[in-house]
Structures are given as structure tokens and as C-alpha cells.
Amino acid sequence: MKTGRVRAKRLVRRALAALCALSLLVLAAAGAVFTGDEIAKDGETVPVQSVEIQTENIGWQEEETNPLAEASDPGIAEAVRAYYGNRTEDNPFAEEYRDLQTFVKRGRYADTYLAFVRYDMKLQGIYTLVPGLETLYLEADPDGEPGAFAVSGEFPDAEAASMAAVLAGHSDVQRLIRDVQAAYEKAAASDALLSETLRELESRTPGA
């Protein structure tokens, strides 16, 4: 369970770990895209696999051209709300996630985003709220309504993990991480019961 502690190094480690664990994607060479299932060759038919070409967002890797901004897209807002609704149902310790603030940067490709969600978590039986920050990967949902997004707390592939490591290094993201870290530490220091509970939860969390 995430207790709200956020560290820039942990985010980068998660991205780099995914890079090591997954095979690197091989990008398809540029060329003609066949929309049919087969083409003729020497009087015979051979299967042809359609190639999906993704449009790259120009300047996605630069902070100046891809600044951190609060999400205004209703599809993103709805996807994040649904994600945390499910998190509350699946988490025996969290009573509620409140005051969700979603900040986004454009991903490498069109209709992809890296979201940094700032929240206040209400733990069972504890009055003081726990500030937290989570990184989510969003992409257009091919099975949803127009404008809908699919959201995940994990990176789908090594390329997405590498993209996240680049964006997490931007100074505006670093400022957000520091702000939430300071709020987390202030909350823990203000409530002895909360501090004790957080230490216990961290001890149960691998890699905490």
C-alpha cells in the first residue's frame, strides 16, 4: 500500500527497474502501411500484418515545451476518479482518498499522459489526513467512449518507463514532489498515532 511517502529517486528507480525487466521494443521501420490482410506475391498470397504508427508529441521531453499543468480534460478527471474509487475498495487501510489534484505532462505519443496525482488519504481510525503523490500512466481507451482514458499505476512497457524517468526529472515535477514530501512529514509529526501507523505500514511494504 502507498502511504503517501514520495521520493524522486524511488520514481526513477521504478522506471529503470522496468527498463531492465522488460525487453526493449523494436520500432517498426517506416514504410508502406497495408490495411488489407494479404497481398499477392508470385501468384501466391502471403499474410501481411498491419503496422500501427504512433504520432510523437514534438518537444515532449523538454520542460519548456511540456510544462506540468493541472489537468483540464474531463476524460482524464473521470479516469482518475474511477481509479481512486477502485483503490479505496481494494485497500483495507484507506478509508477515502480526498482532494484529488491531477497534474499532467504529455507523454511521448499522442493521447498519452504521465499524471502526478496529489491526494489526501484518510486512514481507518485516524483523523489526520496523509498527503500523498502517485504517478499514473494514461492513454486513450480504445474500448471506451470518445475522449475516455485508461489509467494504470504501472508502465505498460520499457519505452513508457523510460519516458516517465525523463519527465520525472523535470524541475517542476521535482518541486511538486518536494512540496508533497514536506506536507507528508508535517502531517506525520503532528500526530503520534499517525506516525506510528505509517511506520508500521511501511514495514509491511516491500521496498519502502
Side-chain angles (χ1 to χ4, degrees):
M1 162 187 169
K2 294 183 181 294
T3 63
R5 183 174 298 274
V6 288
R7 301 182 181 91
K9 290 183 180 179
R10 179 179 296 179
L11 175 61
V12 175
R13 283 202 304 269
R14 186 175 75 169
L16 294 179
L19 279 173
C20 295
L22 299 174
S23 300
L24 292 176
L25 296 179
V26 179
L27 298 179
V33 178
F34 296 93
T35 57
D37 292 330
E38 52 187 28
I39 58 174
K41 181 181 179 181
D42 297 332
E44 297 180 357
T45 59
V46 295
V48 175
Q49 184 176 5
S50 297
V51 178
E52 180 182 354
I53 297 180
Q54 294 177 289
T55 302
E56 185 167 312
N57 287 320
I58 297 174
W60 68 269
Q61 69 271 48
E62 302 296 335
E63 184 175 344
E64 292 76 13
T65 51
N66 190 13
L68 189 68
E70 191 158 6
S72 58
D73 189 310
I76 291 178
E78 178 57 34
V80 170
R81 280 195 299 270
Y83 175 84
Y84 281 98
N86 293 331
R87 282 283 297 276
T88 302
E89 293 177 1
D90 297 336
N91 192 328
F93 304 105
E95 182 178 312
E96 185 181 6
Y97 290 88
R98 302 178 182 175
D99 301 324
L100 299 176
Q101 288 182 285
T102 304
F103 302 91
V104 295
K105 281 182 177 284
R106 290 178 296 124
R108 180 170 182 173
Y109 297 110
D111 297 323
T112 66
Y113 293 88
L114 193 66
F116 301 88
V117 183
R118 198 269 191 225
Y119 57 78
D120 289 319
M121 179 173 59
K122 174 69 171 63
L123 292 175
Q124 296 282 354
I126 297 179
Y127 177 76
T128 303
L129 299 177
V130 183
L133 184 69
E134 184 173 7
T135 306
L136 302 176
Y137 179 81
L138 293 94
E139 60 184 344
D141 187 353
D143 300 321
E145 298 292 329
F149 283 87
V151 57
S152 174
E154 302 293 335
F155 302 120
D157 51 48
E159 190 173 41
S162 178
M163 174 271 295
V166 171
L167 298 182
H170 288 179
S171 63
D172 50 8
V173 174
Q174 294 296 304
R175 284 193 298 272
L176 177 62
I177 290 173
R178 288 194 298 270
D179 288 347
V180 178
Q181 180 68 44
Y184 171 90
E185 293 174 353
K186 182 178 180 180
S190 71
D191 189 324
L193 178 59
L194 172 61
S195 181
E196 180 181 353
T197 301
L198 291 175
R199 285 195 298 269
E200 180 182 351
L201 291 175
E202 285 183 344
S203 69
R204 301 181 185 180
T205 305

